[in-house]
Amino acid sequence: MRRDLSVPALAVTVLLWASAFVAIRALGDAFSPGSLTLGRVLVGALVLTLIARPTRATMPTGRPLLLVVIYGVVWFGIYNIALNAGEQHLDAGTAALVVNVAPALVALFAGFVLGEGFPKPLLVGIAVAFSGVALIALGTRDPDAVETASTTGVVLCLVAAVTYAIGTLTQKPALAHVKPVMSVWLGCVVGAIVCLPFAPHLFRELGDATTSDVLWLVYLGVFPTAIGFSTWSYALARITSGQAASTTYLVPVVATGIAWAILDETPAALALVGGVLSLAGVAITRIRPHRKVVAEA
C-alpha cells in the first residue's frame, strides 16, 4: 500500500508559493508581467522535461487534453500575468492576501459547475471575504502602505484569484487521466505558447538584467513552478479541490514573513485587518451544515 504524502506535499507547496510572491515583487523592476511569465514557465518546462520525460504515449487526448489546455492558458498564463502586474502595485504580503480568496471562489464555482449548491456558510463566507478585500483596497491609501500600493493592484490580484480558482477546478478532473508531474509540464508548455508574443520583451530584458535578477527568475521557474506545482498536483490528485485550496490559507502569512525578511516590506495595518477578515471568510465557506437525521418510527 502506497503511503499518502499529501500533507507534506502541500506544506512544500505553501512554502514555495509564498516565496514566489516575494520573488515576483523583487523582479518587478527588471521584467514586465508578460516576459516574467514566459521566462518562468520556460524554465519550469525545461526542468520538468527531464523529470516527466514526455512521450506520445503519455499525452492526454479528448476531454482531458481540453482540460489541460484550459488550465494551461488560465492558470499558467493569465494567472501569472495578472499576478505579476498586480505586484507592481502591491507589496508581496498584500498581494498574497487578495489572491487567497481563491478557495472561496473554488467553492462558489463548484456550486455552479458541480451542482454542490449554495449553503448559507458559503454565501456568508464569500460576503465576509470580499468585505476583507474591500478593506485591503482602502488600505492602499494608508500612509503606511508601500509607495506603489493602489486599487489597481487589488483588482489585478482579484483577477489572479479568479483564474487560480478556475485552474484548480479544471486541473482536478484532468489529474484522473494525467500524472501530476506531466500535468504541470503540459501546463507550462501551454502557458509558454500563450506567452510567446512576449518573447522579444523577455530577450531584451534579459540583456539588461543583473545576475541577481536572472537567478530570481530561475528560482521562480524551478522551485515555485516546477516543484511547487508538482507537489500541489500530487496532493490535488488525492484530495478534493476545496481541501487542497484551503491549505493556501497559510501562504499570505509565510509570504509576509519572507517579504519582511528579504524586502523589508509589510502590508499596511488596514490591509492586514482586511486580510484576516478575508481569510476568515474563506474559512467560513468551508463549514458544512449538519444534516438533521430523522429517526425512523
Side-chain angles (χ1 to χ4, degrees):
M1 183 176 180
R2 290 186 177 182
R3 185 179 179 186
D4 185 358
L5 299 175
S6 297
V7 173
L10 285 171
V12 171
T13 298
V14 166
L15 178 61
L16 294 181
W17 282 6
S19 71
F21 285 93
V22 179
I24 292 168
R25 180 70 177 168
L27 288 169
D29 293 333
F31 296 97
S32 56
S35 63
L36 178 55
T37 298
L38 178 58
R40 175 178 178 173
V41 295
L42 281 176
V43 172
L46 179 61
V47 171
L48 289 170
T49 298
L50 303 175
I51 301 172
R53 296 181 180 179
T55 63
R56 185 175 180 180
T58 59
M59 295 295 174
T61 58
R63 183 172 179 271
L65 177 59
L66 176 61
L67 291 170
V68 167
V69 171
I70 292 172
Y71 75 70
V73 171
V74 171
W75 206 355
F76 288 80
I78 299 172
Y79 166 84
N80 279 307
I81 293 172
L83 177 59
N84 295 344
E87 287 206 55
Q88 293 187 345
H89 302 274
L90 288 178
D91 61 88
T94 302
L97 287 167
V98 177
V99 169
N100 277 279
V101 301
L105 295 174
V106 168
L108 179 63
F109 292 163
F112 286 107
V113 179
L114 304 180
E116 295 182 2
F118 304 94
K120 187 176 180 180
L122 172 61
L123 300 178
V124 171
I126 288 173
V128 172
F130 279 90
S131 296
V133 172
L135 279 182
I136 293 173
L138 289 174
T140 61
R141 303 175 185 178
D142 191 316
D144 294 329
V146 296
E147 291 182 6
T148 56
S150 72
T151 305
T152 300
V154 175
V155 172
L156 287 166
C157 287
L158 276 176
V159 172
V162 172
T163 51
Y164 170 167
I166 295 172
T168 298
L169 290 172
T170 50
Q171 188 187 20
K172 174 64 176 176
L175 285 167
H177 308 275
V178 187
K179 291 183 178 181
V181 174
M182 176 61 92
S183 77
V184 182
W185 179 81
L186 286 167
C188 285
V189 170
V190 173
I193 293 171
V194 170
C195 293
L196 278 179
F198 299 108
H201 299 282
L202 175 61
F203 290 129
R204 183 169 58 251
E205 290 165 3
L206 278 171
D208 297 330
T210 65
T211 301
S212 176
D213 293 332
V214 174
L215 289 175
W216 269 119
L217 178 59
V218 172
Y219 174 85
L220 265 176
V222 174
F223 292 94
T225 306
I227 297 175
F229 269 93
S230 293
T231 51
W232 159 267
S233 300
Y234 169 89
L236 186 62
R238 289 161 174 76
I239 61 178
T240 68
S241 300
Q243 289 172 327
S246 295
T247 62
T248 59
Y249 294 167
L250 295 173
V251 169
V253 179
V254 179
T256 299
I258 298 174
W260 173 77
I262 296 179
L263 304 178
D264 194 27
E265 65 177 26
T266 55
L270 190 57
L272 283 173
V273 173
V276 171
L277 190 60
S278 291
L279 295 180
V282 173
I284 292 171
T285 66
R286 304 309 306 162
I287 296 174
R288 292 292 176 263
H290 295 289
R291 294 182 179 179
K292 293 182 180 180
V293 178
V294 180
E296 294 183 4

